[in-house]
């Protein structure tokens, strides 16, 4: 008898849950609501909310809107977005994650001191990172991978921050490299701004992945945090498959398997993991 377990620790983080609740509350009132960018990096959850009436827009489309309500998702936005909203009489429903909001304030305060290089360890072009860089009038330096750290100017002061969903291990490697190379005349300070509700999932999901013959990691392929967690599952259990939904499950994967573990990212809804569980049950003889 095949056993299927859904990881209790997987699913929406606090920030995503709050953003979706705010969207659902507005839509339930019958109000027209726009969302700047995908509310979550999961196509099926975005489609569910679209069917409820949520209209996803980009920044160019935002500039054309007036006198409407726009939800800002958990990733946060740069100051220019708020200024544009003010000019166009747009009511902002701000669902920026409190962890991201606090990080934005810290970077802004550091930038206003005018000292040194502000460096952000994060994914270039990611919505959260754009919001962080925006606090510095686009002067912050973004490094996406450890091998980019050597490009910094080690003769000048360095203030290092991190996107909230990046790998803690890689962040510590970057810190060690800078400590080894920074000039004795320069100041280096690092601020561990990685969200613990995400970072703590690494050891938990690793332990979960070792318990099962097959792991199905359910996640939108755009998810930054999803890639980190999926790679961790793959590291400890090579029989791990990344899927966006139940349609991608291959019956061949189940041959000779006794236990299946289903887990996901901070952007993966519980209902989607449950659909995958039900789909597996439907594939069994």
């Amino acid at each position: 008898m095949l056993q299927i377990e859904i990881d209790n620790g997987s699913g929406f983080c606090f920030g995503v849950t709050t953003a979706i609740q705010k969207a659902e509350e507005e839509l339930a009132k019958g109000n027209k609501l726009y969302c700047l960018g995908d509310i979550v990096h999961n196509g099926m959850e975005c489609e569910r909310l679209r069917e409820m009436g949520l209209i996803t827009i980009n920044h160019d489309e935002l500039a054309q809107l007036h006198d409407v309500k726009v939800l800002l998702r958990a990733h946060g936005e740069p100051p220019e977005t708020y200024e544009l909203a003010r000019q166009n009489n747009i009511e902002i429903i701000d669902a920026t994650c409190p962890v991201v909001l606090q990080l934005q304030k810290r970077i802004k305060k550091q930038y206003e001191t005018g000292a040194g290089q502000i460096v952000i360890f994060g994914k270039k072009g990611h919505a959260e990172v754009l919001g962080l860089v925006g606090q510095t009038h686009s002067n912050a330096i973004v490094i996406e991978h450890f091998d980019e750290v050597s490009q910094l100017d080690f003769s000048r002061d360095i203030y290092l921050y991190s996107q909230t969903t990046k790998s803690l291990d890689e962040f510590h490697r970057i810190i060690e490299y800078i400590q080894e190379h920074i000039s004795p005349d320069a100041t280096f300070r690092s601020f561990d701004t990685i969200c613990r509700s995400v970072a703590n999932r690494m050891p938990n999901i690793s332990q979960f992945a070792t318990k099962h013959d097959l792991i199905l990691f359910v996640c939108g392929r755009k998810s930054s945090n999803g890639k980190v967690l999926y790679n961790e599952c793959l590291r400890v259990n090579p029989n791990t498959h990344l899927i966006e939904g139940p349609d991608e499950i291959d019956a061949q994967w189940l041959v000779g398997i006794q236990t299946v573990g289903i887990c996901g990212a901070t952007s993966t809804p519980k209902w989607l993991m449950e659909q995958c569980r039900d789909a597996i049950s439907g594939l069994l003889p």
Side-chain angles (χ1 to χ4, degrees):
M1 181 74 182
L2 182 70
Q3 290 183 321
I4 307 167
E5 182 186 6
I6 295 175
D7 174 34
N8 282 330
S10 290
F12 291 153
C13 63
F14 169 79
V16 171
T17 300
T18 303
I20 287 170
Q21 281 175 349
K22 286 188 175 186
E24 288 174 335
E25 284 165 12
E26 276 301 314
L27 295 167
K29 296 174 192 170
N31 295 334
K32 191 170 191 177
L33 182 64
Y34 296 87
C35 180
L36 185 55
D38 290 339
I39 193 167
V40 62
H41 287 150
N42 185 280
M44 295 179 81
E45 179 66 6
C46 288
E47 178 59 23
R48 183 184 75 84
L49 290 164
R50 189 191 68 77
E51 288 172 0
M52 288 178 67
L54 187 65
I55 304 162
T56 302
I57 56 168
N58 59 33
H59 286 82
D60 290 339
E61 290 166 324
L62 177 72
Q64 307 305 315
L65 293 176
H66 295 78
D67 313 309
V68 294
K69 287 187 178 184
V70 175
L71 181 130
L72 302 185
R73 58 204 175 153
H75 299 95
E77 282 292 321
E80 300 87 73
T81 300
Y82 293 88
E83 178 55 27
L84 177 64
R86 190 189 64 75
Q87 291 172 4
N88 289 9
N89 196 37
I90 291 169
E91 182 183 337
I92 291 288
I93 296 170
D94 201 339
T96 304
C97 171
V99 179
V100 174
L101 204 56
Q102 189 62 30
L103 175 53
Q104 288 184 348
K105 288 175 183 173
R106 288 175 74 174
I107 289 175
K108 185 173 190 284
K109 190 175 177 183
Q110 180 66 55
Y111 178 71
E112 286 171 349
T113 67
Q117 304 164 90
I118 293 178
V119 180
I120 298 166
F121 170 46
K123 184 179 179 185
K124 292 176 179 123
H126 187 280
E128 182 191 325
V129 174
L130 293 175
L132 299 177
V133 171
Q135 308 305 315
T136 70
H137 298 292
S138 300
N139 285 303
I141 300 163
V142 179
I143 56 172
E144 194 162 332
H145 303 290
F146 170 77
D147 55 16
E148 294 174 28
V149 70
S150 59
Q151 298 166 15
L152 298 177
D153 182 350
F154 296 104
S155 67
R156 294 177 59 216
D157 295 351
I158 295 173
Y159 299 90
L160 175 69
Y161 299 83
S162 174
Q163 179 184 340
T164 59
T165 54
K166 290 295 275 183
S167 159
L168 202 52
D169 289 343
E170 196 170 6
F171 185 62
H172 286 148
R173 282 181 70 205
I174 289 168
I175 290 170
E176 286 169 15
Y177 186 93
I178 296 172
Q179 285 171 336
E180 288 167 7
H181 292 81
I182 192 85
S183 163
D185 301 321
T187 298
F188 169 52
R189 291 190 67 195
S190 63
F191 306 90
D192 181 353
T193 51
I194 292 171
C195 176
R196 285 306 181 265
S197 80
V198 175
N200 290 345
R201 291 193 182 196
M202 285 287 275
N204 295 340
I205 212 159
S206 178
Q207 192 177 14
F208 178 80
T210 59
K211 286 166 52 182
H212 298 284
D213 301 330
L214 168 68
I215 291 293
L216 297 182
F217 190 88
V218 188
C219 173
R221 288 186 170 87
K222 285 186 194 174
S223 171
S224 186
N225 141 261
K227 283 175 189 155
V228 173
L229 292 173
Y230 163 69
N231 284 328
E232 178 61 14
C233 286
L234 193 61
R235 185 183 71 80
V236 299
N237 186 339
N239 197 19
T240 295
H241 297 274
L242 175 67
I243 58 170
E244 290 204 340
D247 294 347
E248 295 183 19
I249 298 171
D250 187 338
Q252 289 298 311
W253 296 342
L254 304 172
V255 175
I257 295 297
Q258 292 186 320
T259 65
V260 177
I262 299 172
C263 51
T266 57
S267 53
T268 305
K270 270 272 166 44
W271 62 260
L272 185 55
M273 290 185 278
E274 288 166 356
Q275 278 190 0
C276 291
R277 176 198 61 201
D278 297 343
I280 292 169
S281 299
L283 290 171
L284 299 175

